[in-house]
Amino acid sequence: MARKGIFFPLKDAALRDDVHTLGALVGEVLQDQGGDDLFGAVEGDRQAAIGRRLGEAEDTIELVVRTRGRPAREAREVIRAFSAWFRVVNMAEKVHRVRRRRQYMHDSSTPQPGGMSDCFQKLKARGVTLAQALELLGQVCIEPVFTPHPTESTRRTILRQQQRIARLLLRRLDPSLTPPEQLAITEHLRSELTTAWQTAENSRERLTVADEREHVLFFLVEVVYEVIPAFYEAVEASLIGVFGREARGVALPDVLRFGSWVGGDMDGHPDVHAKTIRESCARHHQLIINRYFTEAQELGEKLSQSASRVGVSAQVLQRIEQYKTLVPAARATAPANHDQMPYRVLVGQIAERLRATYDHASGQYERASQLIDDLELIVQNLQQHRWQRT
């Protein structure tokens, strides 16, 4: 699918190249999967639509003639082809935003217009102090709310395919990639696009409240969960860049919150009731605790400090002894050679307590503050024993 009729300003030249590459790949997939007839129908419609948008009377007539009376099966395939093309173009635009942001970050003299650094610089220029800036942040509350829209509940299989395509596009930003590595990424993109074309986009069954819930939870657990820490780290980095070292380690206010109507919106929805609310809350609980458990295991692998190499506070040792009684199952998961790695032992106990929380078993965390207290204890002790970067 050629890029005729698509114009980009100079700053977006890289986006133009991405759109060209992806459009060519989609065209190859269409030819492979639907043959020359499908590719010709899509390309002909596209060119006629461009002409119509530019005010060409002949192209306007041609577009009407081409689409009128088209067999339903062919129309469905053409629509799907355009959907595939627009999907990758939208991804290219999102990746280009990442590219442009990185360009600004490499050039510290020019903050991104409308970005956080730009905002804090303008506040400082008006005489706003760090404390006042934090107070202003504390007055900000952004709360996106997920709503139930069954017709938009894309299957997780498709969403994960889109994630893989986005990651491949992000990998292409690496300037150190060799030509063979670039070619390998292109081949992986073609493979993902082909698989997506061969995969049904929607279930044959009527979507349920559970389907809506899983759709929203995909974004909460696999997208939002990953982004929130990076967001607050970016806020802190911007504050440090503008206000200096005094902004390092400041307590940032909660700016972002999220809500969801899915499973609880009983206004005119007969399938939503007390049971779906309970099920939705339980499902949220399961998925978030599972993410915490997985990350606790990963953290334990990183905190390998030995008591013979670094000091350990009495509070950490006391917490370990306390958890031997509170979460006895943790003993079976800790190898004997970890007995001199106190942080690893404690994080392993935290993981087991999270497991108990998932199962609603004895020893579970009753409140989020208990988990936060455990983690803060580790952070404070790492800082006290010459581990400044935590």
Side-chain angles (χ1 to χ4, degrees):
M1 299 175 75
R3 59 187 176 190
K4 177 182 176 182
I6 303 177
F7 304 100
F8 296 82
L10 182 61
K11 67 181 179 67
D12 295 329
L15 173 59
R16 175 198 61 202
D17 293 338
D18 284 348
V19 170
H20 174 60
T21 299
L22 291 170
L25 284 175
V26 171
E28 292 172 10
V29 171
L30 294 181
Q31 285 183 304
D32 291 342
Q33 302 300 310
D36 292 336
D37 289 342
L38 175 60
F39 178 79
V42 172
E43 186 65 9
D45 286 0
R46 193 181 72 87
Q47 294 291 348
I50 291 172
R52 180 181 182 277
R53 187 183 65 203
L54 296 175
E56 300 291 341
E58 292 182 0
D59 287 315
T60 300
I61 295 172
E62 181 182 353
L63 185 60
V64 173
V65 171
R66 292 181 61 86
T67 56
R68 179 176 294 170
R70 176 172 280 166
R73 178 179 176 81
E74 180 183 344
R76 184 170 58 249
E77 293 298 286
V78 169
I79 291 171
R80 196 157 191 256
F82 275 108
S83 296
W85 189 76
F86 284 123
R87 191 176 296 123
V88 296
V89 169
N90 287 338
M91 284 188 192
E93 291 177 345
K94 293 174 184 177
V95 169
H96 187 58
R97 293 193 193 105
V98 175
R99 180 191 288 115
R100 291 287 294 160
R101 174 170 168 76
R102 288 180 174 178
Q103 289 171 346
Y104 279 111
M105 293 175 73
H106 279 296
D107 182 7
S108 58
S109 64
T110 309
Q112 186 174 14
M116 287 181 287
S117 293
D118 182 45
C119 175
F120 292 140
Q121 282 187 3
K122 290 178 179 177
L123 289 173
K124 185 178 181 182
R126 295 180 182 182
V128 174
T129 65
L130 172 62
Q132 291 171 328
L134 290 171
E135 184 180 354
L136 285 173
L137 273 179
Q139 299 173 24
V140 175
C141 180
I142 304 171
E143 186 174 5
V145 177
F146 291 91
T147 58
H149 292 291
T151 57
E152 299 177 10
S153 293
T154 307
R155 295 174 62 190
R156 284 198 174 205
T157 297
I158 301 297
L159 293 172
R160 290 201 172 100
Q161 285 174 347
Q162 293 174 7
Q163 276 189 327
R164 290 194 295 270
I165 291 172
R167 291 191 182 106
L168 288 168
L169 292 175
L170 287 170
R171 283 179 57 193
R172 295 178 74 242
L173 298 181
D174 185 353
S176 67
L177 289 174
T178 64
E181 289 171 333
Q182 287 279 9
L183 180 61
I185 291 175
T186 300
E187 290 303 316
H188 287 152
L189 281 168
R190 181 184 287 106
S191 175
E192 291 291 350
L193 291 171
T194 299
T195 301
W197 180 265
Q198 295 177 345
T199 302
E201 295 182 346
N202 294 296
S203 171
R204 293 178 298 173
E205 305 297 330
R206 177 177 176 270
L207 294 174
T208 65
V209 173
D211 293 324
E212 296 175 20
R213 181 174 61 237
E214 293 304 310
H215 177 73
V216 166
L217 285 172
F218 170 84
F219 290 100
L220 281 173
V221 176
E222 301 191 31
V223 179
V224 172
Y225 183 90
E226 302 284 350
V227 170
I228 295 303
F231 169 78
Y232 283 106
E233 288 168 2
V235 173
E236 182 179 1
S238 297
L239 286 169
I240 293 172
V242 174
F243 293 100
R245 294 181 59 85
E246 64 174 323
R248 188 179 298 280
V250 295
L252 295 176
D254 291 332
V255 176
L256 286 175
R257 298 177 182 272
F258 291 85
S260 173
W261 290 355
V262 179
D265 182 15
M266 295 187 285
D267 185 13
H269 198 320
D271 294 332
V272 178
H273 37 68
K275 182 181 178 182
T276 61
I277 294 175
R278 288 195 300 270
E279 290 172 345
S280 295
C281 290
R283 186 64 176 146
H284 280 73
H285 173 272
Q286 288 177 337
L287 289 179
I288 197 64
I289 294 300
N290 187 63
R291 286 302 304 263
Y292 290 164
F293 174 78
T294 301
E295 292 195 358
Q297 290 183 311
E298 294 173 355
L299 181 61
E301 289 297 317
K302 296 175 182 177
L303 297 180
S304 60
Q305 290 90 337
S306 299
S308 61
R309 298 289 300 166
V310 65
V312 181
S313 73
Q315 294 135 314
V316 170
L317 299 178
Q318 289 170 2
R319 188 69 53 89
I320 290 173
E321 289 303 314
Q322 175 188 352
Y323 274 15
K324 286 181 179 179
T325 301
L326 183 65
V327 195
R331 297 184 183 183
T333 63
N337 60 352
H338 285 184
D339 61 344
Q340 292 300 308
M341 298 180 179
Y343 295 117
R344 180 170 287 183
V345 171
L346 179 54
V347 173
Q349 292 173 326
I350 291 172
E352 286 306 309
R353 194 172 184 188
L354 285 167
R355 190 199 298 273
T357 306
Y358 184 95
D359 295 330
H360 298 285
S362 174
Q364 65 178 309
Y365 284 110
E366 300 291 345
R367 298 178 302 278
S369 60
Q370 294 173 325
L371 173 60
I372 294 172
D373 181 61
D374 281 344
L375 297 176
E376 287 182 343
L377 174 63
I378 294 173
V379 170
Q380 291 166 4
N381 281 269
L382 287 169
Q383 292 173 335
Q384 289 171 7
H385 295 95
R386 298 186 300 278
W387 183 257
Q388 300 299 321
R389 304 281 183 178
T390 55

